[in-house]
Amino acid sequence: MQEHSPLSHQRIEDAKAGDFDAYRMIVNEYSNALLSVAYSVLGDFHEAQDAVQEAFLKCYRNLHTLNDPTKLGSWLYAIAHRTSLDFAKRSKRTLPLHETAPSTDNITPWLEQYVIHDSVWGALQKLEEKSKSVVVLHYLSEWSMKEIGQFLNMSVSAVESRIRRAREVLKQHLARDFEHYFLTHRLGRDFEQQVSEHVLKRAGHFYIPVTDKGQATAWFTLHFHLGTSRHGNPVLESGQELYLLECQRHAPGRMPVLTFEAASVGELEQRLHQQGIGMEPIREDALFGKLLVFYDPDGNKYHAIEPN
């Protein structure tokens, strides 16, 4: 059975070869599928998200071992399932919700959410694990019955039968709108960005969040004369690739995204000023020496230092 994957084999091969943008497509496409697997094991959406994030990190580190791109779905399923079982073994939580109980002022909505969660999970316990994954994936994703079957290695008729049975069980044990409950936990692009940042950090890569990768690459090339990698990212003088992480929403932080030494921050200031780049006046720093702070078009902060 050929598995679900709207990604071309070439895209998957690109991801295997280190193209991080192609890898992000995998994360975006399979996030809810892996969430359904993790939730079916753990029974908590917050912890399931942590397990999915860890599973995608394992995917990034081991994607080069995937010999057959058509088996990407089952390969990811196996990783997510094993990771979720590991999380379940070391979990010591006594409450099925990730959050701790709030103050008494906000206890009513928290209790309502707790009751809904407990009721849904209790009803799902009437089903075997694969049926849990089927029905949760049905509500979390926009996949067709055929696509769900391909991911879980089941026939379409088996998927339809399990979903029909699961609906009957859920309706029998739940008075609330359980479909809405699942939809509120559907993952989107924000989660993909979160996973991407987590993976890059854990892999030890330099990365900068930007709103337009093409424009950001051109900015680095124009103003700092950096070369680019075969994946289109700027390459620092040290030879390290600077990953430009394109984000739908980006709020620049207060900390610098990159700190580097400059032979003369005075000369750098003059050059950046001539190029119209926003900056702060050079100041003396007791720890670093001369410090120049400047900003890219996305508002990210950079520190250039000239040691004493």
Side-chain angles (χ1 to χ4, degrees):
M1 178 184 293
Q2 187 175 7
E3 295 186 3
H4 164 88
S5 181
L7 304 175
S8 67
H9 289 182
Q10 185 57 53
R11 273 298 185 186
I12 297 173
E13 291 296 336
D14 289 344
K16 290 175 60 177
D19 185 336
F20 198 73
D21 290 334
Y23 166 78
R24 293 182 72 182
M25 291 182 180
I26 294 176
V27 175
N28 189 58
E29 178 59 33
Y30 283 93
S31 288
N32 284 303
L34 269 58
L35 181 66
S36 70
V37 176
Y39 175 75
S40 298
V41 173
L42 297 166
D44 177 80
F45 275 113
H46 295 282
E47 191 172 18
Q49 285 188 29
D50 292 340
V52 171
Q53 187 166 265
E54 188 65 23
F56 276 125
L57 175 61
K58 294 177 181 178
C59 163
Y60 178 76
R61 288 174 169 170
N62 297 287
L63 191 57
H64 64 281
T65 66
L66 178 66
N67 296 320
D68 184 356
T70 66
K71 300 299 183 183
L72 175 63
S74 58
W75 185 73
L76 288 171
Y77 175 92
I79 292 176
H81 190 256
R82 287 195 301 268
T83 302
S84 301
L85 291 175
D86 290 340
F87 267 64
K89 289 177 183 177
R90 64 175 183 256
S91 176
K92 296 181 179 180
R93 291 180 300 103
T94 57
L95 292 177
L97 290 181
H98 180 73
E99 299 92 351
T100 56
S103 64
T104 54
D105 294 338
N106 300 316
I107 195 68
T108 300
W110 183 86
L111 282 175
E112 289 178 351
Q113 182 67 14
Y114 179 93
V115 170
I116 295 172
H117 171 93
D118 200 45
S119 299
V120 171
W121 181 243
L124 287 172
Q125 296 314 296
K126 309 296 181 183
L127 305 170
E128 61 182 52
E129 188 173 303
K130 201 108 179 187
S131 293
K132 293 180 199 173
S133 296
V134 168
V135 71
V136 176
L137 179 54
H138 173 66
Y139 289 118
L140 284 180
S141 74
E142 296 179 341
W143 285 4
S144 66
M145 300 289 184
K146 180 180 179 181
E147 290 169 332
I148 293 173
Q150 289 170 345
F151 176 70
L152 296 173
N153 196 27
M154 298 169 57
S155 66
V156 173
S157 60
V159 171
E160 292 174 339
S161 175
R162 287 173 185 262
I163 289 178
R164 185 166 53 251
R165 167 61 179 155
R167 280 174 169 167
E168 292 173 356
V169 170
L170 291 173
K171 288 179 179 179
Q172 181 180 354
H173 291 85
L174 297 173
R176 296 177 180 271
D177 179 9
F178 60 86
E179 296 184 17
H180 177 72
Y181 171 76
F182 288 120
L183 291 177
T184 59
H185 291 89
R186 179 179 288 176
L187 300 175
R189 294 304 297 268
D190 287 345
F191 181 75
E192 179 271 313
Q193 180 180 332
Q194 178 182 327
V195 169
S196 297
E197 292 183 359
H198 175 72
V199 167
L200 289 173
K201 286 178 183 177
R202 292 286 296 273
H205 296 312
F206 289 123
Y207 78 92
I208 295 176
V210 299
T211 54
D212 187 301
K213 181 178 177 179
Q215 292 181 4
T217 301
W219 186 83
F220 276 101
T221 302
L222 174 64
H223 298 300
F224 297 96
H225 310 295
L226 298 180
T228 55
S229 70
R230 60 194 177 104
H231 303 307
N233 290 314
V235 177
L236 302 174
E237 292 183 0
S238 63
Q240 289 182 287
E241 191 169 351
L242 183 61
Y243 288 77
L244 300 180
L245 193 67
E246 191 167 284
C247 307
Q248 286 187 316
R249 288 189 293 273
H250 170 49
R254 298 176 61 184
M255 300 298 293
V257 294
L258 190 65
T259 299
F260 61 94
E261 288 189 11
S264 171
V265 294
E267 293 180 3
L268 178 61
E269 179 191 38
Q270 290 181 4
R271 179 163 61 85
L272 296 182
H273 177 71
Q274 291 173 355
Q275 295 170 345
I277 294 178
M279 67 185 77
E280 299 175 10
I282 295 175
R283 65 175 185 266
E284 289 288 340
D285 185 272
L287 180 62
F288 296 114
K290 291 183 179 179
L291 173 65
L292 173 65
V293 179
F294 63 95
Y295 301 86
D296 67 18
D298 284 300
N300 295 308
K301 180 188 291 187
Y302 299 80
H303 282 182
I305 59 174
E306 181 182 334
N308 293 323

